[in-house]
């Protein structure tokens, strides 16, 4: 198997994949466990990462497919401080059990990156692929809209 | 004097970890030398196992151990929170689709999966399994449980696990002007926590350490100690915050199995279920309920006559308690002089049901509230007024010898009606509905807490509660902040490790803010007493001259904060104050539930829907949820719990249902064909509100919340659908197809 | 563990050679279905040929010679975000928008949705209604097929070994024409349809229907074209009655089965409703009133 080069949260990694899918590469090889395992079929969004600027389900990306890609995971959202989006999630109590939250954040960040001032309906549509059983959908949507509005 | 933490909504304690990905759930933790476990199951619910051939699997790369029933202590250990009936591996016969018959441990998950597939289970599929209430009640059906499991029990030769009868007054049809007699169905649904169940076990020098996404770590500790024959002191349960529980993670599941593997291999072992496997591990009990409700022509309820059959699954788990506790309150928050409730838990060849948010109450509320709606329509009485007319007043003993109505419930209902614009004109195809739910909180309980006030005025609290999303850490920190006058970010909340925190009975029934909350408040009071004694001693005055109240110390020399007096109180050696708190509700052995309700969760749901007459599609345009919470200690979290519960309730109302094929296999395991609501399915407008009269038994007058929001969802929506298009649906979920069918049949 | 070999050829000819090279090969673009099948062992390709480095297939939506050409690696969100498609082919946007989640649509391609040949797929009914052509490249050169000829049976296409889709071509809509797509399900997102309908119509100045295209999803083993309904429409003046009659005809042309999502009976009853509504929306969009 050939070597793969992957940039994750700004850091370059070269390795020969032992894992089959990007999600396992992130979790098991790079020990970035923020991306979560739930349905493993692209239905729940818990494994969402941003790949080359777009939100994707990392459970559906073959490890080799990610060769040359630039990936941002939830671990890459914060700098010195939490990102505005992360702060808005806290201010709106959007994280309950928290298990879906990394995926929600990455889907929301990808939305804000391409549409800095989305409507409520656009937020709901953008996050439709991220199931939350605590059903904090209202709080999550509020948080994304708050983050889009910026500090008040 | 307060620090202003009551009614505030500080950022969640544990929030930063949740938004940065650093929160460690069980599956995120790895143990050195760990093995990966895969369950071996059959693609049939009910099969007789003749033999298990592991020879090929054992030769496969990476395989370290294979566990079959023969490798376990004999008789095979059984466990369960109420009845010890669930075996570690299926004994001779599988009782439900997905029951493990063996397990493999290997170096990698892939190797474990390949080896599990290579195990040959010689088995014979047994026809005629019990998959429905009708089959469970049919005397010709096979027995799910061997009668020897409960010798001497008159029900042992039936599929009835237990029958509960509650009765007061006398049912007399002649006293009623109108009797509504209907049958209702509530589907099999599953908890669907986004974190699938995860278990790890590691041998620990004659003892065992277990990691589990469990809600009741101390119950698990007790189970493990008993099954493994170890003292409690050698069983350590690590319970990292669950990624959602909803009841499905209360009771031990595969921890004993993983522990046997770890002990056999002498290495740590982990089992992370797939989402599909969780469908075979936990679910809510389905139910068929026949309800006869008698009314006088002015809408007064004169009797309610319930026959509830709950299909509980293959093993008891906590289902009998679900049946008993929920049915005891089946008559709801109403003043009903004559009630008869006959409730059965029926064993079946299906996934063992367990606790799920609402604990049986949504099933009964669906029947009760729907019957009230029918009566209102037939009697020409407003659906809101008929409820208000019968609703118990504060302090009224609406169930004999039970805790009287513990709130001004009419206030809750009227608030919901106002928020939904009850009575305002509606567009064509639109309808409004309103329903009330009532659930008993805990009936007994025991929580201990330790609070340490450290020398610099910061504090650590130790509590055995599981924070599975309800926000217990934040609530506890708020209580300490208020009690000791400490800023919330100087408080550390330690949970989830039986070796570090004192005993707590369980995290369920919306109890923790009240029971553990009181234990923590008492630990804080203990600290205040100690401070009082120390300050008095150092000043050489009588303790009566020193007053230590919420956050403040008042002595002969004036007032200061606890923090300011701390150095003086501790003296030259420093150190800390350690407070102990205990909250004990022993219950009443004479009571049918073993105790009266510590508090009730009373909730009113109201909604407005639009229904497409041609397709049956439903749009919930607006949804209102109002709870009688005593006091919202953290209003933002209360809203999150109430709205989240309501949205979960819309799942069983509109779309959720586990589907079995004719052979009893679950055919919609997983996220594709078992649908829960997405962000786009949330009502267009969602309103939540709380009634706060500080009349609860918890600190600052709080009552428990967390389940209320889904208790009345289904009947509120059902009522609205009926107003919108004139059809009545008795079976959940209310799908477009069911509405379409009903409209067609109506023509 | 997939156990599959992986190649990412940089040219179309190399891809064809690889795909034709052995029996058990599978092309990969978005992978939203293939990856799941591989993860759960339902697909065990010996060789996966990733098409994403092939310049000719790179995401592109081009208009030329009266055709709109959508290359094989164009994903659903590309379609959703394309102003021209939003304006000219609203049905395609409506269908693309309900394929799974944004995460799925960032990967899933229009070509893949066709090649998968699922009867419940959302975009094939629209492509059928729009009269799209599938351009195929293979060991024996290039050929083009209609959607009807391309979709052969349940999860079966007309692709021969070594062949792959290079583009989907859609005739540019004429003046006074438009399209629409409707999907019925239980959930508003992430849903496999109970029934879905693609409709396109072209009218003359007087409101008479010149051309009509329909495609039905989830009512047969393969995306279905209700020919009688189409015939009934052409040459007649658009009207609610006509659309209702076409809907009834379409309902009569399918015999859907029961499955865990809906009964065949319900599906069959919904076809007339959805066809009628879809036609009416398309007509409204065409700007020609009734």
């Amino acid at each position: 198997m050939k070597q793969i080069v992957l940039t994750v949260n700004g850091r370059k990694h070269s390795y020969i994949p032992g894992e089959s899918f990007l999600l396992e590469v992130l979790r098991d090889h790079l020990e970035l466990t923020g991306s979560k395992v739930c349905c493993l079929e692209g239905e729940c969004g818990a494994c969402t990462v941003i790949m080359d600027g777009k939100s994707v389900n990392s459970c559906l990306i073959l490890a080799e497919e990610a060769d040359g890609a630039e990936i941002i995971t939830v671990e890459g959202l914060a700098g010195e401080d939490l990102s505005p989006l992360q702060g808005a999630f806290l201010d709106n109590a959007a994280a309950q059990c928290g298990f879906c939250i990394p995926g929600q954040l990455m889907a929301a960040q990808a939305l804000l990156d391409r549409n800095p001032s989305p409507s409520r309906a656009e937020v709901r549509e953008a996050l439709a692929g991220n199931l939350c059983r605590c059903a904090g959908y209202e709080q999550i949507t509020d948080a994304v809209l708050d983050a889009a509005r910026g500090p008040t | 004097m307060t620090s202003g933490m009551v009614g505030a909504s500080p950022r969640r304690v544990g929030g930063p970890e949740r938004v940065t990905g650093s929160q460690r759930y069980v599956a995120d933790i790895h143990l050195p030398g760990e093995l990966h476990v895969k369950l071996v199951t059959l693609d049939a619910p009910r099969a007789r196992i003749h033999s298990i051939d592991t020879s090929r699997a054992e030769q496969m790369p990476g395989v370290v151990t294979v566990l079959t029933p023969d490798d376990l202590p004999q008789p095979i250990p059984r466990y369960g929170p109420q009845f010890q009936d669930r075996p570690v591996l299926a004994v001779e016969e599988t009782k439900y689709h997905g029951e493990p018959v063996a397990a493999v441990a290997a170096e990698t998950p892939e190797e474990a999966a390949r080896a599990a597939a290579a195990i040959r289970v010689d088995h014979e599929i047994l026809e005629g399994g019990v998959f429905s209430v009708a089959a469970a009640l049919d005397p010709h059906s096979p027995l799910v449980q061997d009668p020897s499991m409960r010798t001497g029990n008159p029900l042992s030769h039936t599929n009835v696990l237990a029958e509960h009868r509650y009765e007061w007054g006398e049912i007399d049809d002649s006293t009623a002007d109108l009797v509504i007699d209907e049958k209702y169905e509530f589907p099999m649904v599953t908890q669907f926590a986004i974190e699938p169940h995860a278990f790890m076990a590691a041998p620990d020098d004659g003892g065992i350490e277990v990691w589990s996404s469990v809600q009741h770590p101390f119950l698990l500790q007790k189970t493990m100690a008993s099954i493994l024959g170890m003292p409690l002191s050698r069983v350590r349960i690590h319970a990292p915050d669950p990624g959602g529980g909803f009841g499905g993670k209360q009771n031990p599941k595969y921890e004993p199995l993983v522990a046997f593997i770890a002990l056999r291999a002498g290495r740590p072992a982990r089992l992370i279920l797939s989402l599909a496997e969780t469908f075979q591990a936990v679910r809510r009990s389905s139910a068929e309920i026949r309800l006869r409700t008698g009314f006088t022509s002015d809408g007064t309820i004169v009797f309610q006559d319930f026959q509830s059959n709950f299909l509980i699954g293959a093993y008891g788990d906590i289902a009998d308690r679900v049946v008993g506790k929920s049915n005891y309150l089946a008559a709801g928050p109403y003043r009903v002089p004559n009630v008869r409730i006959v409730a059965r838990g029926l064993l079946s060849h299906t996934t063992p049901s367990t606790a799920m948010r609402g604990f049986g109450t949504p099933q009964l509320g669906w029947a009760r509230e729907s019957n009230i709606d029918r009566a209102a329509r037939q009697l020409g009485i407003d659906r809101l007024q008929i409820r208000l007319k019968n609703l118990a007043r504060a302090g009224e003993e609406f169930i004999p010898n039970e805790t009287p109505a513990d709130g001004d419930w009419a206030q809750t209902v009227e608030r919901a009606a106002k928020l939904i614009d009850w009575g305002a004109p509606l567009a064509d195809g639109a309808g409004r509905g309103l329903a009330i739910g009532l659930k008993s909180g805990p009936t007994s309980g025991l929580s201990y807490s330790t609070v340490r006030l450290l020398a610099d005025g910061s504090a650590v609290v130790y509590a055995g509660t599981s924070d599975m999303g309800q926000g217990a850490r934040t609530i506890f920190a708020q209580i300490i902040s208020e009690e000791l006058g400490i800023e919330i970010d100087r408080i550390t909340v330690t949970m989830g490790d039986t070796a570090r925190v004192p005993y707590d009975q369980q995290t369920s029934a919306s109890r923790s803010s009240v029971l553990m909350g009181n234990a923590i408040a008492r630990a804080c009071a203990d600290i205040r007493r100690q401070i009082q004694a120390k300050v008095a001693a150092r000043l050489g005055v009588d303790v009566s001259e020193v007053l230590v109240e919420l956050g403040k110390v008042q002595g002969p020399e004036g007032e200061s904060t606890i923090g300011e007096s701390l150095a003086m109180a501790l003296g030259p050696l420093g150190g800390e104050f350690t407070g102990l708190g205990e909250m004990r509700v022993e219950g009443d052995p004479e009571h049918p539930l073993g105790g009266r309700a510590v508090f009730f969760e009373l909730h009113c749901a109201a909604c407005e829907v639009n229904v497409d007459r041609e397709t049956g599609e439903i749009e919930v345009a607006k949804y209102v949820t109002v709870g009688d919470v005593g006091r919202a200690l953290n209003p933002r979290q209360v809203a999150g719990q109430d709205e989240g519960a309501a949205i979960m309730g819309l799942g069983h109302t509109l779309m959720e249902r586990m589907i079995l094929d004719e052979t009893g296999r679950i055919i919609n395991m997983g996220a594709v064909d078992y649908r829960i609501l997405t962000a786009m399915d949330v009502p267009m407008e969602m309103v939540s509100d709380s009634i706060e009269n500080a009349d609860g038994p918890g600190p600052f007058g709080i009552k428990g919340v967390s389940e209320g929001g889904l208790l009345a969802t289904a009947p509120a929506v059902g009522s609205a659908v009926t107003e919108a298009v004139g059809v009545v649906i008795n079976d959940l979920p209310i799908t477009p197809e069911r509405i379409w069918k009903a409209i067609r049949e109506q023509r | 563990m997939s156990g599959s070999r992986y190649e990412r050829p940089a040219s179309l000819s190399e891809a064809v050679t690889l795909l034709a090279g052995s029996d058990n090969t599978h092309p990969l673009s978005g992978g939203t279905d293939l990856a799941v099948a591989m993860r759960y062992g339902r697909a065990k390709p010996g060789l996966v040929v990733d098409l994403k480095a092939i310049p000719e297939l790179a995401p592109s939506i081009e208009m030329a010679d009266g055709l709109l050409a959508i290359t094989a690696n164009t994903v659903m969100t590309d379609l959703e975000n394309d102003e021209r498609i939003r304006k000219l082919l609203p049905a395609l946007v409506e269908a693309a928008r309900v394929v799974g989640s944004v995460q799925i649509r960032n990967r899933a391609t229009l070509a893949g949705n066709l090649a998968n040949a699922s009867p419940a797929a959302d975009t094939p009914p629209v492509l059928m209604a729009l009269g799209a052509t599938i351009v195929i490249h293979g060991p024996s050169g290039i050929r083009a097929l209609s959607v009807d000829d391309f979709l052969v049976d349940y999860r079966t296409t007309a692709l021969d070994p070594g062949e792959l889709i290079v583009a989907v071509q859609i005739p540019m809509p004429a003046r006074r024409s438009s399209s629409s797509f409707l999907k019925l399900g239980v959930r508003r997102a992430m849903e496999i349809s109970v029934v879905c309908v693609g409709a396109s119509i072209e009218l003359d100045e007087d409101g008479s229907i010149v051309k009509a295209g329909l495609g039905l999803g989830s009512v047969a083993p393969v995306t279905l074209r209700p020919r009688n309904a189409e015939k009934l429409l052409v040459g007649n003046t658009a009207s609610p009655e006509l659309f209702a009659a076409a809907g009834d005809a379409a309902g009569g042309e399918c015999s859907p089965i029961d499955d865990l999502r809906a009964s065949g009976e319900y599906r069959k009853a919904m076809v007339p409703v959805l066809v009628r509504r879809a036609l009416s929306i398309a007509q409204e969009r065409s700007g020609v009133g009734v």
Side-chain angles (χ1 to χ4, degrees), chain C residues 23-41:
Chain C
D23 284 346
N24 190 20
T25 59
H26 205 298
L28 164 74
S29 182
T32 52
D33 285 290
L34 179 62
V36 180
M38 285 172 67
R39 186 184 277 277
Y40 293 100

Side-chain angles (χ1 to χ4, degrees), chain B residues 614-615 618 675-676 737, chain C residues 187-188 191 263 266 276:
Chain B
E614 285 188 301
T615 62
I618 310 163
R675 305 173 189 82
I676 65 172
E737 179 165 357
Chain C
R187 195 159 73 169
R188 271 167 229 290
E191 180 69 322
S263 70
Y266 178 57
R276 188 191 78 224

Side-chain angles (χ1 to χ4, degrees), chain B residues 369-432:
Chain B
E369 297 294 308
S370 298
N371 257 16
I372 293 176
D373 259 42
R374 282 181 183 266
R377 280 191 301 273
Q378 292 190 28
L379 295 169
I381 303 173
D382 179 79
R383 289 165 291 158
L384 167 65
Q385 293 309 324
I386 196 170
R387 288 179 167 85
L388 288 173
K389 183 182 188 65
N390 290 288
L391 200 61
R393 303 282 168 252
E396 193 172 335
E397 195 184 71
F398 65 111
I399 297 172
N401 305 316
E402 178 54 77
T403 304
D406 66 347
D408 181 357
W409 292 346
Q411 206 184 340
T412 300
V413 177
E414 280 161 352
R415 177 80 56 87
K418 182 163 175 275
L419 290 170
I420 201 70
D421 298 319
W422 190 257
L426 285 162
D428 191 38
R432 265 187 217 100

Side-chain angles (χ1 to χ4, degrees), chain A residues 27 33 36-38 41 43 82 86-87 90-91 95-99 101 105 124 128 133-135 137-139, chain B residues 11-12 15 18-19 25 27-28 190-192 194 243-244 246 468-469 636 640-641 643-644 656 676-677 682-683:
Chain A
R27 285 182 56 86
T33 55
K36 297 301 179 205
V37 176
C38 173
E41 49 183 343
E43 291 286 325
L82 294 180
Q86 289 170 313
L90 292 182
D91 286 337
Q96 295 187 31
C97 84
F99 200 80
I101 294 300
L105 283 163
R124 284 183 171 191
R133 189 55 152 172
C134 301
Y137 293 126
E138 286 291 278
Q139 292 75 23
Chain B
R11 281 183 169 188
R12 181 176 294 259
R18 283 166 167 75
V19 300
Y25 301 89
D28 302 330
T190 189
Q191 286 81 353
F192 205 117
I194 305 297
F246 314 111
M468 51 192 171
R636 218 185 267 280
Q641 287 298 300
E643 291 174 17
E656 290 182 38
I676 65 172
L677 272 78
V682 171

